[in-house]
Each structure stands twice: as structure tokens, then as C-alpha cells.
Amino acid sequence: MDFFDVASTTPTTRRFLDRPIAETELIKILETANMAPSGSNAQPWEFVVVRDANARREIQQLYESVWGPYKDRAIIRGRTTLSPRAVKALKTGDEFSAQLAIVPVHVVVFLDRPKMRVERGTAADLFNFGATYGSVFPAIELMMLAARALGVGTAMTTMLTSKESETKALLGVPEEYQLIALVPMGYPADAFKRPLRKPVFPRLHDGRWDRAWPRDSATT
């Protein structure tokens, strides 16, 4: 596929088919993710690839234990009447949570803290968080783009970070690694489509913050 077609049609997939991914394609996706840039080429990512059905059910249970309180706090917020956008968010979030266990592959992404040479939660960590997390999220994005190029849908959620100790215990992950994200991966139940995004031009600045990008230079 053309790169720009891939990049513009990689939405968050929330409805998946219960259909396995061929190991050759899965390896290709993960090898592509491994080509991501990172600070000092540290490559501080570790991928725990979960395909066992029982483990996926346990991940789903952990996710649901976080999703319930989150939606009450962040979406419902005690309101009796919800906007159409909030109703949609609840519906898609509930569907995603309820069928997470059928998604054939769960890639749980961890950050190798010792490789970044900065202790978690220290002043240096807070000062340098861009370099730390900027050294792992590009690998997640490449993973998602590679999956899309092969017709595989993905989602990225950080919801499990509040259940880090439980997730580590489930997967046997040593203490020094930090849970970053869960990337469920499988064939989508719906067709890929271009996600809804606001136009870029109101957020483009020409050399200075107070100078908007000239619209007449746009080619699209």
C-alpha cells in the first residue's frame, strides 16, 4: 500500500474479528516496529506478545476493572443527560472492553528503564520525560502502521498503566520495566476508513506562534 494511504486510514480499531494473525505477518509487524528511532539508539522497548486465550481473558478483566471507574469519572461525571459525543464514547468503549478477549493478539509494551539511564519519578526523569517516552512511542506507531499495511487493525490504550503491578505479575515482567501501553491487534470487523480530524491549518505557525501559515500556499 501507498504510505500516505496507510497513514491516513489507521484509525483506532475497536471491533475485531475472532481470526488469528499468521505468525509470518505478526513477525513482520514487530520487526517493522523495531526499526523506530530512539534516543541514543537505545531501543528501550520490550514487547510481550500475548496469544494465549486465558491470558487474554485476564488482560480483559484488568482492563474492565479500570474502564468502569474511568468512564464514570471522565465521561459520565454524574450527569443524567449526555451529549451525543459522550453517548458514542460510552458505546464504543463498552464494546471494546467487552470483546477485548477475542482479539487474537495483545502486544503489551514495556519500557526498559535501565537503558534510559534515568530513575523513574526522579527530577531528572520529569525534566527529560520527552526523551524517555519519545524513545518508545515511535515504535508503537510504526507497529500500528505496519499492521494497517497488512490489513490488521490495532488500538493503543494506556488504561492498564494503573494496573501495572497486576499486569507485570500476570506476564512475569521484572520490576525495572515500566508498562507503557497495550496494543490489541487483529482483523477489523469494519472497513478501514479515514478518521475524523480537525484541519491542520489552524494549528500551523509560520516561523512564529503569532504568524499563521498562509492558506494560499496550500496544495490540498
Side-chain angles (χ1 to χ4, degrees):
M1 290 183 65
D2 175 78
F3 171 79
F4 294 98
D5 289 339
V6 169
S8 60
T9 59
T10 307
T12 297
T13 299
R14 291 189 175 88
R15 297 180 67 244
F16 294 84
L17 300 175
D18 185 5
R19 172 185 163 194
I21 301 172
E23 186 159 338
T24 53
E25 294 199 338
L26 181 57
I27 292 298
K28 189 171 186 178
I29 291 167
L30 297 170
E31 285 182 334
T32 301
N34 192 55
M35 298 305 294
S38 58
S40 301
N41 198 28
Q43 302 171 61
W45 47 79
E46 298 283 339
F47 305 139
V48 180
V49 183
V50 182
R51 291 178 286 180
D52 176 74
N54 291 329
R56 287 186 282 126
R57 277 193 291 271
E58 292 196 51
I59 289 175
Q60 179 191 24
Q61 290 169 4
L62 286 172
Y63 184 93
E64 286 183 324
S65 72
V66 180
W67 166 246
Y70 172 82
K71 69 180 181 181
D72 289 340
R73 181 181 69 253
I75 301 176
I76 299 175
R77 293 183 291 177
R79 295 176 294 180
T80 56
T81 302
L82 299 176
S83 67
R85 182 178 180 182
V87 170
K88 181 179 180 182
L90 282 175
K91 181 176 183 294
T92 56
D94 284 343
E95 288 178 346
F96 178 73
S97 179
Q99 58 109 64
L100 189 57
I102 77 160
V103 185
V105 176
H106 292 184
V107 181
V108 191
V109 182
F110 291 88
L111 172 67
D112 185 339
R113 274 282 172 176
K115 276 188 179 179
M116 298 311 298
R117 300 179 183 177
V118 59
E119 186 178 349
R120 186 174 180 179
T122 62
D125 185 30
L126 296 175
F127 175 77
N128 206 34
F129 69 90
T132 301
Y133 297 107
S135 290
V136 66
F137 278 105
I140 296 174
E141 182 67 15
L142 269 186
M143 183 189 305
M144 297 173 75
L145 291 172
R148 168 64 188 98
L150 294 174
V152 175
T154 57
M156 186 200 75
T157 173
T158 59
M159 197 74 72
L160 286 186
T161 55
S162 63
K163 294 289 183 180
E164 181 172 1
S165 60
E166 294 90 339
T167 305
K168 284 181 177 180
L170 172 64
L171 304 177
V173 178
E175 179 58 32
E176 63 267 24
Y177 294 89
Q178 179 181 352
L179 175 59
I180 297 297
L182 166 67
V183 183
M185 185 182 300
Y187 292 98
D190 307 303
F192 289 106
K193 62 181 180 180
R194 189 182 183 95
L196 181 63
R197 296 289 185 267
K198 295 178 181 178
V200 70
F201 282 97
R203 288 169 285 134
L204 284 182
H205 309 269
D206 188 10
R208 288 177 47 88
W209 185 270
D210 58 359
R211 191 160 58 214
W213 192 277
R215 295 295 187 95
D216 57 6
S217 67
T219 57
T220 58

